[in-house]
Amino acid sequence: MNPLLLDVPATEWNLPAAEPWRQKQLREWIFQKFASSFAEMSNLPAPLRSDLTGRFRLAAVEPVKIQGSEDTTRKILWRLGDGSLLESVLIPANPGRAGDRSARLTLCISSQVGCAYGCRFCASGLEGWRRNLTAAEIVGQVLGAARIAGRRPDNLVFMGMGEPLANLPRLCAAMETLTSPEGVGIGARHLTVSTSGLAPQIEELAKVPGQFRLALSLHAGTNQTRDKIMPVNRKYPLEKLIPACEVFVRAKRKMITFEYILLKDLNDDPAEARAVVRHARRLHAKVNLIPYNNVEGLPYERPTEPAIRRFQKVFRDAGVEATVRREKGHDIDAACGQLRLREEKTALPS
Ligand code: SAH
Ligand code: SF4
């Protein structure tokens, strides 16, 4: 199989040396017109188009299923070159405002096929880790979604399938293409990397240039609770994780966000919230509370509304910002890994 063009350095594209403008034309087709084949690049000479087609693949992802409508959260299931399935979610800022094309568009993207970290509540980890995405496959989700939406997304969040910091070199290469003016050109501050808490890689990320954001999937305030739901905590417990985040916050002078999935009777005790408050104060973090999204085959439940309110109140009383994220797309399997899981279960005879 030919390599993906965007996984090959531009210096090795071997474009005609006598026509230095060709690279710019090619980039316009890829990053502004979101072309999915070389054949449609009408201002490139036909021999060059067929030469490129013979040497490279352009589209890294092919849409196989889109759930949702243009005005609401849309979940896109992609097929990669090797047949793996992957997903991204397009989230308009104001779903429901019919036909409003000016609403900001956030795209949630994946960084790996499957995930090795096995958080108990997560669909992505259920079938383990399969492979890392290449940089072109990460960027390809953005280009493919832009083609579907008819425009470039405004914000990108690495909250789809996989652990982005376990794929750090490809993540960095993709971020470079996504933020570069010669690439997709999305401002780094509109990019959020989410991690389950790989402490050494958080410190590595602090050294990577760019004002991108970090979200920490905390989900518990104490090691005792975190150990129960996130196996990664045994390797990087809070006394390692929080200082690593502190390194990031100092280096970037940027606030981080704690993601906190609320699981009934597991991490929804106000005492747990008080422990989170202490970490939030130390890092000046704000908190996103996410009522658990049901995953087929998993025994967890979201807490009742009063329990959610009681939990949130602890933050309000302590002066720490905590919002409850009423996730859009609850009805279309929009938590990470869910659509792929369902698709693979129906595709495979059980
Ligand atoms: N591996 C990284 C990024 C992908 S997960 C991480 O864990 O941060 C992205 C987000 O989706 C995380 O905050 C994760 O905890 C959340 N998530 C996973 N399963 C969920 C579920 N069933 N309901 C709600 N959110 C979920
Ligand atoms: Fe992996 Fe993140 Fe899911 Fe945990 S929550 S299993 S780290 S994708």
Side-chain angles (χ1 to χ4, degrees):
M1 202 164 31
N2 284 331
L4 288 161
L5 181 81
L6 295 181
D7 279 331
V8 176
T11 47
E12 292 167 29
W13 290 354
N14 284 332
L15 298 173
E19 300 174 346
W21 60 90
R22 294 297 180 207
Q23 191 183 128
K24 186 157 175 274
Q25 286 177 320
L26 192 58
R27 287 184 185 277
E28 269 170 22
W29 279 106
I30 299 171
F31 298 118
Q32 286 165 37
K33 299 182 192 154
F34 315 121
S36 60
S37 69
F38 296 109
E40 67 199 83
M41 302 182 175
S42 51
N43 58 355
L44 297 189
L48 178 56
R49 280 184 263 157
S50 61
D51 167 55
L52 287 168
T53 306
R55 289 190 292 129
F56 300 110
R57 285 179 298 138
L58 183 59
V61 297
E62 176 204 344
V64 286
K65 188 172 189 172
I66 303 173
Q67 273 186 23
S69 70
E70 192 173 335
D71 298 319
T72 57
T73 298
R74 267 181 294 177
K75 184 136 187 163
I76 311 165
L77 185 73
W78 310 108
R79 189 179 295 114
L80 305 181
D82 68 350
S84 298
L85 295 175
L86 194 72
E87 56 197 31
S88 315
V89 188
L90 264 171
I91 311 155
N94 295 306
R97 277 166 59 183
D100 182 0
R101 307 207 86 200
S102 66
R104 295 189 77 73
L105 201 57
T106 296
L107 181 70
C108 173
I109 52 182
S110 298
S111 54
Q112 300 183 309
V113 182
C115 183
Y117 289 86
C119 303
R120 302 281 181 249
F121 46 80
C122 175
S124 291
L126 276 181
E127 292 183 0
W129 177 84
R130 241 180 260 165
R131 70 172 176 90
N132 283 326
L133 294 187
T134 69
E137 288 169 332
I138 296 175
V139 174
Q141 296 166 67
V142 181
L143 299 173
R147 203 150 55 225
I148 289 166
R151 69 183 185 90
R152 193 176 74 175
D154 303 290
N155 300 300
L156 298 178
V157 295
F158 281 88
M159 294 187 182
M161 203 192 315
E163 168 51 54
L165 295 194
N167 189 14
L168 197 54
R170 268 74 50 181
L171 174 78
C172 291
M175 290 207 296
E176 174 68 33
T177 305
L178 291 169
T179 55
S180 151
E182 290 206 320
V184 186
I186 296 175
R189 45 176 52 76
H190 296 289
L191 219 137
T192 303
V193 177
S194 176
T195 179
S196 59
L198 309 195
Q201 285 84 348
I202 291 173
E203 294 189 25
E204 278 304 301
L205 193 67
K207 296 182 203 146
V208 176
Q211 284 296 304
F212 51 85
R213 296 169 190 276
L214 181 67
L216 175 66
S217 291
L218 191 62
H219 309 322
T222 60
N223 282 326
Q224 198 192 7
T225 305
R226 206 163 188 267
D227 278 347
K228 279 191 211 149
I229 52 179
M230 300 181 75
V232 67
N233 197 63
R234 289 172 207 266
K235 195 157 183 202
Y236 305 118
L238 292 165
E239 57 277 15
K240 286 194 179 143
L241 178 55
I242 300 296
C245 293
E246 214 162 19
V247 169
F248 183 91
V249 172
R250 286 226 183 98
K252 295 276 174 204
R253 300 179 187 283
K254 261 202 133 47
M255 260 185 130
I256 71 168
T257 308
F258 291 162
E259 304 286 307
Y260 198 105
I261 297 182
L262 284 159
L263 300 156
K264 188 178 178 189
D265 298 334
L266 256 172
N267 66 356
D268 60 346
D269 193 290
E272 203 71 33
R274 284 190 284 277
V276 176
V277 161
R278 287 193 286 278
H279 304 310
R281 282 202 174 128
R282 180 162 164 196
L283 297 174
H284 304 286
K286 55 181 185 178
V287 184
N288 259 332
L289 301 173
I290 312 154
Y292 171 72
N293 215 342
N294 280 335
V295 176
E296 228 176 277
L298 293 184
Y300 306 109
E301 281 176 54
R302 56 172 60 182
T304 59
E305 264 317 299
I308 295 174
R309 294 289 151 217
R310 199 157 52 238
F311 196 83
Q312 188 183 21
K313 187 171 180 298
V314 175
F315 295 96
R316 198 176 311 129
D317 292 348
V320 170
E321 189 184 333
T323 40
V324 179
R325 198 202 286 161
R326 299 289 164 195
E327 83 293 22
K328 301 141 188 165
H330 188 41
D331 53 335
I332 59 157
D333 306 326
C336 80
Q338 290 185 31
L339 182 64
R340 164 181 168 266
L341 192 69
R342 171 164 312 180
E343 209 56 29
E344 296 212 326
K345 280 204 173 136
T346 37
L348 299 168
S350 50

